[in-house]
Structures are given as structure tokens and as C-alpha cells.
mmCIF file of all heavy atoms in Angstrom:
data_model
loop_
_atom_site.group_PDB
_atom_site.id
_atom_site.type_symbol
_atom_site.label_atom_id
_atom_site.label_comp_id
_atom_site.label_asym_id
_atom_site.label_seq_id
_atom_site.Cartn_x
_atom_site.Cartn_y
_atom_site.Cartn_z
ATOM 1 N N ASP A 1 -25.496 -19.361 -22.506
ATOM 2 C CA ASP A 1 -24.798 -20.537 -21.983
ATOM 3 C C ASP A 1 -25.783 -21.546 -21.416
ATOM 4 O O ASP A 1 -25.667 -22.745 -21.657
ATOM 5 C CB ASP A 1 -23.805 -20.149 -20.883
ATOM 6 C CG ASP A 1 -22.637 -19.335 -21.400
ATOM 7 O OD1 ASP A 1 -22.352 -19.413 -22.612
ATOM 8 O OD2 ASP A 1 -22.010 -18.642 -20.590
ATOM 9 N N LEU A 2 -26.761 -21.094 -20.658
ATOM 10 C CA LEU A 2 -27.734 -22.013 -20.060
ATOM 11 C C LEU A 2 -28.623 -22.641 -21.122
ATOM 12 O O LEU A 2 -28.934 -23.826 -21.047
ATOM 13 C CB LEU A 2 -28.575 -21.302 -19.004
ATOM 14 C CG LEU A 2 -29.490 -22.196 -18.178
ATOM 15 C CD1 LEU A 2 -28.688 -23.261 -17.429
ATOM 16 C CD2 LEU A 2 -30.319 -21.390 -17.219
ATOM 17 N N LEU A 3 -29.015 -21.875 -22.127
ATOM 18 C CA LEU A 3 -29.855 -22.440 -23.182
ATOM 19 C C LEU A 3 -29.143 -23.546 -23.948
ATOM 20 O O LEU A 3 -29.768 -24.497 -24.387
ATOM 21 C CB LEU A 3 -30.311 -21.346 -24.150
ATOM 22 C CG LEU A 3 -31.435 -20.454 -23.653
ATOM 23 C CD1 LEU A 3 -31.715 -19.334 -24.654
ATOM 24 C CD2 LEU A 3 -32.699 -21.239 -23.387
ATOM 25 N N SER A 4 -27.832 -23.446 -24.082
ATOM 26 C CA SER A 4 -27.108 -24.517 -24.766
ATOM 27 C C SER A 4 -27.054 -25.784 -23.910
ATOM 28 O O SER A 4 -26.924 -26.885 -24.426
ATOM 29 C CB SER A 4 -25.698 -24.063 -25.133
ATOM 30 O OG SER A 4 -24.899 -23.901 -23.976
ATOM 31 N N LEU A 5 -27.158 -25.636 -22.598
ATOM 32 C CA LEU A 5 -27.155 -26.789 -21.693
ATOM 33 C C LEU A 5 -28.551 -27.360 -21.477
ATOM 34 O O LEU A 5 -28.706 -28.552 -21.229
ATOM 35 C CB LEU A 5 -26.584 -26.387 -20.324
ATOM 36 C CG LEU A 5 -25.124 -26.005 -20.278
ATOM 37 C CD1 LEU A 5 -24.777 -25.470 -18.890
ATOM 38 C CD2 LEU A 5 -24.245 -27.189 -20.616
ATOM 39 N N ALA A 6 -29.570 -26.507 -21.540
ATOM 40 C CA ALA A 6 -30.940 -26.917 -21.204
ATOM 41 C C ALA A 6 -31.891 -26.545 -22.327
ATOM 42 O O ALA A 6 -32.315 -25.414 -22.432
ATOM 43 C CB ALA A 6 -31.375 -26.232 -19.915
ATOM 44 N N PRO A 7 -32.233 -27.504 -23.176
ATOM 45 C CA PRO A 7 -33.204 -27.211 -24.235
ATOM 46 C C PRO A 7 -34.563 -26.845 -23.645
ATOM 47 O O PRO A 7 -34.813 -27.054 -22.463
ATOM 48 C CB PRO A 7 -33.293 -28.514 -25.016
ATOM 49 C CG PRO A 7 -32.281 -29.428 -24.461
ATOM 50 C CD PRO A 7 -31.773 -28.868 -23.194
ATOM 51 N N LEU A 8 -35.438 -26.331 -24.484
ATOM 52 C CA LEU A 8 -36.795 -26.017 -24.027
ATOM 53 C C LEU A 8 -37.434 -27.262 -23.435
ATOM 54 O O LEU A 8 -37.130 -28.383 -23.830
ATOM 55 C CB LEU A 8 -37.639 -25.501 -25.186
ATOM 56 C CG LEU A 8 -37.201 -24.159 -25.771
ATOM 57 C CD1 LEU A 8 -38.105 -23.800 -26.942
ATOM 58 C CD2 LEU A 8 -37.219 -23.064 -24.735
ATOM 59 N N ASN A 9 -38.316 -27.058 -22.476
ATOM 60 C CA ASN A 9 -39.032 -28.141 -21.786
ATOM 61 C C ASN A 9 -38.103 -29.006 -20.944
ATOM 62 O O ASN A 9 -38.345 -30.192 -20.761
ATOM 63 C CB ASN A 9 -39.839 -28.998 -22.767
ATOM 64 C CG ASN A 9 -40.888 -28.195 -23.488
ATOM 65 O OD1 ASN A 9 -41.560 -27.364 -22.883
ATOM 66 N ND2 ASN A 9 -41.013 -28.408 -24.767
ATOM 67 N N SER A 10 -37.042 -28.424 -20.424
ATOM 68 C CA SER A 10 -36.148 -29.120 -19.504
ATOM 69 C C SER A 10 -36.651 -28.944 -18.081
ATOM 70 O O SER A 10 -37.324 -27.966 -17.760
ATOM 71 C CB SER A 10 -34.735 -28.538 -19.573
ATOM 72 O OG SER A 10 -34.185 -28.716 -20.834
ATOM 73 N N GLU A 11 -36.293 -29.888 -17.227
ATOM 74 C CA GLU A 11 -36.550 -29.742 -15.799
ATOM 75 C C GLU A 11 -35.228 -29.336 -15.164
ATOM 76 O O GLU A 11 -34.228 -30.040 -15.287
ATOM 77 C CB GLU A 11 -37.018 -31.062 -15.211
ATOM 78 C CG GLU A 11 -37.286 -30.981 -13.725
ATOM 79 C CD GLU A 11 -37.767 -32.312 -13.186
ATOM 80 O OE1 GLU A 11 -38.745 -32.866 -13.723
ATOM 81 O OE2 GLU A 11 -37.136 -32.797 -12.224
ATOM 82 N N ILE A 12 -35.230 -28.175 -14.521
ATOM 83 C CA ILE A 12 -34.014 -27.648 -13.905
ATOM 84 C C ILE A 12 -34.223 -27.644 -12.405
ATOM 85 O O ILE A 12 -35.222 -27.102 -11.911
ATOM 86 C CB ILE A 12 -33.718 -26.221 -14.414
ATOM 87 C CG1 ILE A 12 -33.499 -26.253 -15.930
ATOM 88 C CG2 ILE A 12 -32.512 -25.633 -13.700
ATOM 89 C CD1 ILE A 12 -33.352 -24.894 -16.565
ATOM 90 N N THR A 13 -33.310 -28.262 -11.656
ATOM 91 C CA THR A 13 -33.419 -28.293 -10.204
ATOM 92 C C THR A 13 -32.242 -27.567 -9.579
ATOM 93 O O THR A 13 -31.153 -27.509 -10.145
ATOM 94 C CB THR A 13 -33.482 -29.733 -9.658
ATOM 95 O OG1 THR A 13 -32.316 -30.435 -10.068
ATOM 96 C CG2 THR A 13 -34.702 -30.465 -10.172
ATOM 97 N N GLY A 14 -32.487 -27.016 -8.414
ATOM 98 C CA GLY A 14 -31.454 -26.287 -7.698
ATOM 99 C C GLY A 14 -32.043 -25.577 -6.498
ATOM 100 O O GLY A 14 -33.068 -26.005 -5.959
ATOM 101 N N THR A 15 -31.414 -24.462 -6.138
ATOM 102 C CA THR A 15 -31.792 -23.741 -4.929
ATOM 103 C C THR A 15 -31.889 -22.247 -5.210
ATOM 104 O O THR A 15 -30.990 -21.670 -5.840
ATOM 105 C CB THR A 15 -30.721 -23.955 -3.836
ATOM 106 O OG1 THR A 15 -30.536 -25.356 -3.652
ATOM 107 C CG2 THR A 15 -31.126 -23.322 -2.527
ATOM 108 N N ILE A 16 -32.969 -21.615 -4.744
ATOM 109 C CA ILE A 16 -33.069 -20.159 -4.797
ATOM 110 C C ILE A 16 -32.126 -19.612 -3.732
ATOM 111 O O ILE A 16 -32.208 -20.007 -2.566
ATOM 112 C CB ILE A 16 -34.514 -19.691 -4.550
ATOM 113 C CG1 ILE A 16 -35.419 -20.196 -5.666
ATOM 114 C CG2 ILE A 16 -34.577 -18.173 -4.436
ATOM 115 C CD1 ILE A 16 -36.895 -19.933 -5.456
ATOM 116 N N VAL A 17 -31.206 -18.730 -4.135
ATOM 117 C CA VAL A 17 -30.166 -18.262 -3.215
ATOM 118 C C VAL A 17 -30.252 -16.773 -2.897
ATOM 119 O O VAL A 17 -29.330 -16.218 -2.290
ATOM 120 C CB VAL A 17 -28.755 -18.626 -3.729
ATOM 121 C CG1 VAL A 17 -28.563 -20.129 -3.741
ATOM 122 C CG2 VAL A 17 -28.490 -18.027 -5.092
ATOM 123 N N SER A 18 -31.340 -16.134 -3.302
ATOM 124 C CA SER A 18 -31.548 -14.735 -2.928
ATOM 125 C C SER A 18 -33.030 -14.521 -2.660
ATOM 126 O O SER A 18 -33.876 -15.314 -3.092
ATOM 127 C CB SER A 18 -31.071 -13.788 -4.038
ATOM 128 O OG SER A 18 -31.915 -13.869 -5.169
ATOM 129 N N ILE A 19 -33.332 -13.464 -1.964
ATOM 130 C CA ILE A 19 -34.726 -13.125 -1.698
ATOM 131 C C ILE A 19 -35.320 -12.551 -2.976
ATOM 132 O O ILE A 19 -34.744 -11.627 -3.557
ATOM 133 C CB ILE A 19 -34.835 -12.107 -0.550
ATOM 134 C CG1 ILE A 19 -34.303 -12.736 0.740
ATOM 135 C CG2 ILE A 19 -36.266 -11.620 -0.382
ATOM 136 C CD1 ILE A 19 -34.188 -11.777 1.894
ATOM 137 N N PRO A 20 -36.438 -13.116 -3.476
ATOM 138 C CA PRO A 20 -37.052 -12.575 -4.686
ATOM 139 C C PRO A 20 -37.404 -11.099 -4.521
ATOM 140 O O PRO A 20 -37.910 -10.683 -3.480
ATOM 141 C CB PRO A 20 -38.307 -13.432 -4.865
ATOM 142 C CG PRO A 20 -37.958 -14.723 -4.192
ATOM 143 C CD PRO A 20 -37.121 -14.314 -3.005
ATOM 144 N N GLN A 21 -37.074 -10.319 -5.543
ATOM 145 C CA GLN A 21 -37.295 -8.874 -5.520
ATOM 146 C C GLN A 21 -38.240 -8.483 -6.644
ATOM 147 O O GLN A 21 -38.091 -8.951 -7.765
ATOM 148 C CB GLN A 21 -35.968 -8.132 -5.735
ATOM 149 C CG GLN A 21 -34.902 -8.447 -4.716
ATOM 150 C CD GLN A 21 -35.203 -7.849 -3.367
ATOM 151 O OE1 GLN A 21 -35.639 -6.706 -3.281
ATOM 152 N NE2 GLN A 21 -34.970 -8.606 -2.319
ATOM 153 N N ASN A 22 -39.195 -7.599 -6.334
ATOM 154 C CA ASN A 22 -40.069 -7.031 -7.361
ATOM 155 C C ASN A 22 -39.386 -5.784 -7.888
ATOM 156 O O ASN A 22 -39.385 -4.749 -7.229
ATOM 157 C CB ASN A 22 -41.422 -6.652 -6.779
ATOM 158 C CG ASN A 22 -42.309 -7.834 -6.541
ATOM 159 O OD1 ASN A 22 -41.863 -8.964 -6.605
ATOM 160 N ND2 ASN A 22 -43.562 -7.577 -6.257
ATOM 161 N N GLN A 23 -38.790 -5.873 -9.082
ATOM 162 C CA GLN A 23 -38.153 -4.703 -9.686
ATOM 163 C C GLN A 23 -39.203 -3.785 -10.309
ATOM 164 O O GLN A 23 -38.986 -2.604 -10.441
ATOM 165 C CB GLN A 23 -37.138 -5.142 -10.739
ATOM 166 C CG GLN A 23 -36.015 -5.978 -10.177
ATOM 167 C CD GLN A 23 -35.198 -5.230 -9.138
ATOM 168 O OE1 GLN A 23 -34.997 -4.027 -9.235
ATOM 169 N NE2 GLN A 23 -34.738 -5.940 -8.134
ATOM 170 N N SER A 24 -40.311 -4.359 -10.697
ATOM 171 C CA SER A 24 -41.460 -3.623 -11.213
ATOM 172 C C SER A 24 -42.679 -4.488 -10.933
ATOM 173 O O SER A 24 -42.554 -5.614 -10.480
ATOM 174 C CB SER A 24 -41.306 -3.348 -12.711
ATOM 175 O OG SER A 24 -41.331 -4.560 -13.435
ATOM 176 N N LYS A 25 -43.861 -3.962 -11.211
ATOM 177 C CA LYS A 25 -45.059 -4.748 -10.891
ATOM 178 C C LYS A 25 -45.249 -5.944 -11.816
ATOM 179 O O LYS A 25 -46.053 -6.821 -11.532
ATOM 180 C CB LYS A 25 -46.300 -3.867 -10.897
ATOM 181 C CG LYS A 25 -46.677 -3.325 -12.247
ATOM 182 C CD LYS A 25 -47.921 -2.482 -12.141
ATOM 183 C CE LYS A 25 -48.324 -1.996 -13.529
ATOM 184 N NZ LYS A 25 -49.553 -1.240 -13.488
ATOM 185 N N ASP A 26 -44.470 -6.013 -12.906
ATOM 186 C CA ASP A 26 -44.645 -7.129 -13.830
ATOM 187 C C ASP A 26 -43.445 -8.074 -13.894
ATOM 188 O O ASP A 26 -43.373 -8.924 -14.773
ATOM 189 C CB ASP A 26 -44.984 -6.614 -15.225
ATOM 190 C CG ASP A 26 -43.885 -5.754 -15.824
ATOM 191 O OD1 ASP A 26 -43.069 -5.218 -15.057
ATOM 192 O OD2 ASP A 26 -43.835 -5.617 -17.060
ATOM 193 N N LYS A 27 -42.501 -7.958 -12.916
ATOM 194 C CA LYS A 27 -41.336 -8.843 -12.953
ATOM 195 C C LYS A 27 -40.772 -9.076 -11.553
ATOM 196 O O LYS A 27 -40.644 -8.162 -10.763
ATOM 197 C CB LYS A 27 -40.248 -8.237 -13.835
ATOM 198 C CG LYS A 27 -39.075 -9.164 -14.022
ATOM 199 C CD LYS A 27 -38.022 -8.728 -15.034
ATOM 200 C CE LYS A 27 -37.855 -7.303 -15.321
ATOM 201 N NZ LYS A 27 -36.694 -6.989 -16.156
ATOM 202 N N ILE A 28 -40.439 -10.351 -11.261
ATOM 203 C CA ILE A 28 -39.776 -10.745 -10.016
ATOM 204 C C ILE A 28 -38.433 -11.354 -10.396
ATOM 205 O O ILE A 28 -38.366 -12.200 -11.286
ATOM 206 C CB ILE A 28 -40.622 -11.778 -9.243
ATOM 207 C CG1 ILE A 28 -41.969 -11.161 -8.834
ATOM 208 C CG2 ILE A 28 -39.870 -12.298 -8.025
ATOM 209 C CD1 ILE A 28 -42.948 -12.156 -8.260
ATOM 210 N N ASN A 29 -37.365 -10.916 -9.741
ATOM 211 C CA ASN A 29 -36.020 -11.423 -10.011
ATOM 212 C C ASN A 29 -35.450 -12.115 -8.779
ATOM 213 O O ASN A 29 -35.663 -11.656 -7.651
ATOM 214 C CB ASN A 29 -35.070 -10.286 -10.385
ATOM 215 C CG ASN A 29 -35.440 -9.617 -11.677
ATOM 216 O OD1 ASN A 29 -35.945 -10.244 -12.591
ATOM 217 N ND2 ASN A 29 -35.185 -8.332 -11.764
ATOM 218 N N PHE A 30 -34.699 -13.207 -9.016
ATOM 219 C CA PHE A 30 -33.950 -13.851 -7.940
ATOM 220 C C PHE A 30 -32.810 -14.654 -8.545
ATOM 221 O O PHE A 30 -32.814 -14.970 -9.737
ATOM 222 C CB PHE A 30 -34.853 -14.750 -7.072
ATOM 223 C CG PHE A 30 -35.578 -15.824 -7.842
ATOM 224 C CD1 PHE A 30 -35.001 -17.076 -8.036
ATOM 225 C CD2 PHE A 30 -36.841 -15.599 -8.351
ATOM 226 C CE1 PHE A 30 -35.669 -18.072 -8.727
ATOM 227 C CE2 PHE A 30 -37.522 -16.588 -9.050
ATOM 228 C CZ PHE A 30 -36.925 -17.825 -9.232
ATOM 229 N N PHE A 31 -31.809 -14.964 -7.714
ATOM 230 C CA PHE A 31 -30.696 -15.794 -8.149
ATOM 231 C C PHE A 31 -30.979 -17.243 -7.777
ATOM 232 O O PHE A 31 -31.534 -17.526 -6.716
ATOM 233 C CB PHE A 31 -29.379 -15.335 -7.516
ATOM 234 C CG PHE A 31 -28.878 -14.061 -8.120
ATOM 235 C CD1 PHE A 31 -29.053 -12.853 -7.475
ATOM 236 C CD2 PHE A 31 -28.228 -14.067 -9.344
ATOM 237 C CE1 PHE A 31 -28.593 -11.675 -8.028
ATOM 238 C CE2 PHE A 31 -27.765 -12.901 -9.912
ATOM 239 C CZ PHE A 31 -27.947 -11.694 -9.248
ATOM 240 N N PHE A 32 -30.561 -18.149 -8.663
ATOM 241 C CA PHE A 32 -30.854 -19.574 -8.545
ATOM 242 C C PHE A 32 -29.589 -20.363 -8.860
ATOM 243 O O PHE A 32 -28.942 -20.113 -9.876
ATOM 244 C CB PHE A 32 -31.957 -19.923 -9.555
ATOM 245 C CG PHE A 32 -32.481 -21.322 -9.491
ATOM 246 C CD1 PHE A 32 -33.389 -21.694 -8.517
ATOM 247 C CD2 PHE A 32 -32.081 -22.270 -10.419
ATOM 248 C CE1 PHE A 32 -33.897 -22.985 -8.488
ATOM 249 C CE2 PHE A 32 -32.576 -23.561 -10.390
ATOM 250 C CZ PHE A 32 -33.489 -23.917 -9.411
ATOM 251 N N ASN A 33 -29.200 -21.275 -7.979
ATOM 252 C CA ASN A 33 -28.068 -22.178 -8.243
ATOM 253 C C ASN A 33 -28.602 -23.443 -8.903
ATOM 254 O O ASN A 33 -29.372 -24.178 -8.303
ATOM 255 C CB ASN A 33 -27.339 -22.561 -6.949
ATOM 256 C CG ASN A 33 -26.381 -21.513 -6.481
ATOM 257 O OD1 ASN A 33 -26.067 -20.573 -7.191
ATOM 258 N ND2 ASN A 33 -25.913 -21.656 -5.264
ATOM 259 N N VAL A 34 -28.193 -23.684 -10.148
ATOM 260 C CA VAL A 34 -28.643 -24.856 -10.905
ATOM 261 C C VAL A 34 -27.753 -26.039 -10.544
ATOM 262 O O VAL A 34 -26.536 -25.970 -10.663
ATOM 263 C CB VAL A 34 -28.577 -24.599 -12.428
ATOM 264 C CG1 VAL A 34 -29.000 -25.834 -13.194
ATOM 265 C CG2 VAL A 34 -29.434 -23.401 -12.807
ATOM 266 N N ASP A 35 -28.375 -27.119 -10.080
ATOM 267 C CA ASP A 35 -27.646 -28.347 -9.744
ATOM 268 C C ASP A 35 -27.773 -29.402 -10.838
ATOM 269 O O ASP A 35 -26.820 -30.097 -11.145
ATOM 270 C CB ASP A 35 -28.157 -28.936 -8.426
ATOM 271 C CG ASP A 35 -27.893 -28.021 -7.246
ATOM 272 O OD1 ASP A 35 -26.855 -27.343 -7.234
ATOM 273 O OD2 ASP A 35 -28.747 -27.981 -6.339
ATOM 274 N N LYS A 36 -28.995 -29.541 -11.412
ATOM 275 C CA LYS A 36 -29.243 -30.572 -12.426
ATOM 276 C C LYS A 36 -30.156 -30.035 -13.512
ATOM 277 O O LYS A 36 -31.040 -29.219 -13.251
ATOM 278 C CB LYS A 36 -29.939 -31.792 -11.816
ATOM 279 C CG LYS A 36 -29.108 -32.618 -10.899
ATOM 280 C CD LYS A 36 -29.916 -33.818 -10.432
ATOM 281 C CE LYS A 36 -29.187 -34.573 -9.348
ATOM 282 N NZ LYS A 36 -30.006 -35.658 -8.812
ATOM 283 N N ILE A 37 -29.939 -30.540 -14.723
ATOM 284 C CA ILE A 37 -30.822 -30.279 -15.847
ATOM 285 C C ILE A 37 -31.226 -31.638 -16.408
ATOM 286 O O ILE A 37 -30.371 -32.467 -16.708
ATOM 287 C CB ILE A 37 -30.119 -29.441 -16.930
ATOM 288 C CG1 ILE A 37 -29.670 -28.093 -16.356
ATOM 289 C CG2 ILE A 37 -31.039 -29.239 -18.134
ATOM 290 C CD1 ILE A 37 -28.796 -27.298 -17.286
ATOM 291 N N HIS A 38 -32.536 -31.865 -16.528
ATOM 292 C CA HIS A 38 -33.047 -33.153 -17.008
ATOM 293 C C HIS A 38 -33.972 -32.907 -18.192
ATOM 294 O O HIS A 38 -34.873 -32.076 -18.127
ATOM 295 C CB HIS A 38 -33.819 -33.855 -15.886
ATOM 296 C CG HIS A 38 -34.335 -35.199 -16.276
ATOM 297 N ND1 HIS A 38 -33.564 -36.329 -16.238
ATOM 298 C CD2 HIS A 38 -35.540 -35.583 -16.731
ATOM 299 C CE1 HIS A 38 -34.275 -37.357 -16.648
ATOM 300 N NE2 HIS A 38 -35.489 -36.922 -16.951
ATOM 301 N N TYR A 39 -33.714 -33.604 -19.295
ATOM 302 C CA TYR A 39 -34.601 -33.550 -20.455
ATOM 303 C C TYR A 39 -34.500 -34.870 -21.203
ATOM 304 O O TYR A 39 -33.428 -35.431 -21.346
ATOM 305 C CB TYR A 39 -34.277 -32.370 -21.377
ATOM 306 C CG TYR A 39 -32.858 -32.324 -21.856
ATOM 307 C CD1 TYR A 39 -32.496 -32.878 -23.077
ATOM 308 C CD2 TYR A 39 -31.867 -31.732 -21.091
ATOM 309 C CE1 TYR A 39 -31.190 -32.848 -23.519
ATOM 310 C CE2 TYR A 39 -30.559 -31.691 -21.525
ATOM 311 C CZ TYR A 39 -30.227 -32.243 -22.742
ATOM 312 O OH TYR A 39 -28.936 -32.215 -23.171
ATOM 313 N N GLY A 40 -35.662 -35.384 -21.616
ATOM 314 C CA GLY A 40 -35.677 -36.684 -22.279
ATOM 315 C C GLY A 40 -35.017 -37.733 -21.399
ATOM 316 O O GLY A 40 -35.347 -37.876 -20.228
ATOM 317 N N ASN A 41 -34.053 -38.458 -21.942
ATOM 318 C CA ASN A 41 -33.298 -39.456 -21.179
ATOM 319 C C ASN A 41 -31.958 -38.919 -20.711
ATOM 320 O O ASN A 41 -31.101 -39.688 -20.271
ATOM 321 C CB ASN A 41 -33.067 -40.709 -22.039
ATOM 322 C CG ASN A 41 -34.364 -41.443 -22.317
ATOM 323 O OD1 ASN A 41 -35.257 -41.452 -21.485
ATOM 324 N ND2 ASN A 41 -34.463 -42.031 -23.485
ATOM 325 N N THR A 42 -31.760 -37.616 -20.799
ATOM 326 C CA THR A 42 -30.473 -37.004 -20.454
ATOM 327 C C THR A 42 -30.570 -36.237 -19.146
ATOM 328 O O THR A 42 -31.545 -35.521 -18.909
ATOM 329 C CB THR A 42 -30.031 -36.034 -21.574
ATOM 330 O OG1 THR A 42 -29.963 -36.753 -22.801
ATOM 331 C CG2 THR A 42 -28.689 -35.409 -21.269
ATOM 332 N N GLU A 43 -29.562 -36.408 -18.311
ATOM 333 C CA GLU A 43 -29.457 -35.628 -17.079
ATOM 334 C C GLU A 43 -28.037 -35.089 -16.978
ATOM 335 O O GLU A 43 -27.076 -35.845 -17.096
ATOM 336 C CB GLU A 43 -29.785 -36.473 -15.854
ATOM 337 C CG GLU A 43 -29.724 -35.657 -14.567
ATOM 338 C CD GLU A 43 -30.190 -36.438 -13.361
ATOM 339 O OE1 GLU A 43 -31.405 -36.470 -13.136
ATOM 340 O OE2 GLU A 43 -29.327 -37.011 -12.689
ATOM 341 N N LYS A 44 -27.929 -33.779 -16.795
ATOM 342 C CA LYS A 44 -26.624 -33.148 -16.623
ATOM 343 C C LYS A 44 -26.530 -32.643 -15.190
ATOM 344 O O LYS A 44 -27.427 -31.969 -14.700
ATOM 345 C CB LYS A 44 -26.452 -31.977 -17.584
ATOM 346 C CG LYS A 44 -26.400 -32.395 -19.031
ATOM 347 C CD LYS A 44 -26.190 -31.203 -19.927
ATOM 348 C CE LYS A 44 -26.164 -31.661 -21.376
ATOM 349 N NZ LYS A 44 -25.919 -30.558 -22.290
ATOM 350 N N VAL A 45 -25.455 -32.999 -14.515
ATOM 351 C CA VAL A 45 -25.209 -32.518 -13.155
ATOM 352 C C VAL A 45 -24.196 -31.390 -13.262
ATOM 353 O O VAL A 45 -23.139 -31.545 -13.864
ATOM 354 C CB VAL A 45 -24.677 -33.652 -12.251
ATOM 355 C CG1 VAL A 45 -24.371 -33.125 -10.863
ATOM 356 C CG2 VAL A 45 -25.683 -34.799 -12.189
ATOM 357 N N LEU A 46 -24.549 -30.240 -12.690
ATOM 358 C CA LEU A 46 -23.688 -29.062 -12.753
ATOM 359 C C LEU A 46 -23.124 -28.749 -11.381
ATOM 360 O O LEU A 46 -23.655 -29.201 -10.357
ATOM 361 C CB LEU A 46 -24.471 -27.863 -13.285
ATOM 362 C CG LEU A 46 -25.132 -28.048 -14.645
ATOM 363 C CD1 LEU A 46 -25.973 -26.838 -14.988
ATOM 364 C CD2 LEU A 46 -24.088 -28.286 -15.718
#
């Protein structure tokens, strides 16, 4: 769903809403609330 809204090389703005967690030594996970997606001359407000 997000990829259909935000093509590659998009700028996505929002807020990190959880404490980042190290599930393993090679990955950090957190939840993020997306407010805007900007690419080219297009801006989508979510």
C-alpha cells in the first residue's frame, strides 16, 4: 500500500511513534506515522 503511494526516491515526513528496538544485530524496527509524501512536483498529505 505504501509503495503505491510513494514511488522510489520519495521524501516521507512524519513522526517516530515507538522506541526503536534492535530485534537482531542487523535490524532496528520502529513505528512511524506518515504525514506527507513528496516526490517530483507531487505532494500527498495523509
Side-chain angles (χ1 to χ4, degrees):
D1 292 338
L2 188 59
L3 283 175
S4 69
L5 294 173
L8 294 178
N9 299 318
S10 297
E11 179 179 306
I12 299 174
T13 58
T15 306
I16 296 173
V17 294
S18 70
I19 296 172
Q21 301 288 318
N22 284 12
Q23 298 299 325
S24 66
K25 67 179 183 177
D26 62 338
K27 186 172 26 172
I28 297 171
N29 295 327
F30 57 90
F31 287 101
F32 186 78
N33 279 348
V34 178
D35 296 325
K36 290 183 188 175
I37 300 171
H38 182 83
Y39 55 95
N41 292 327
T42 303
E43 182 174 275
K44 294 182 181 182
V45 178
L46 304 175

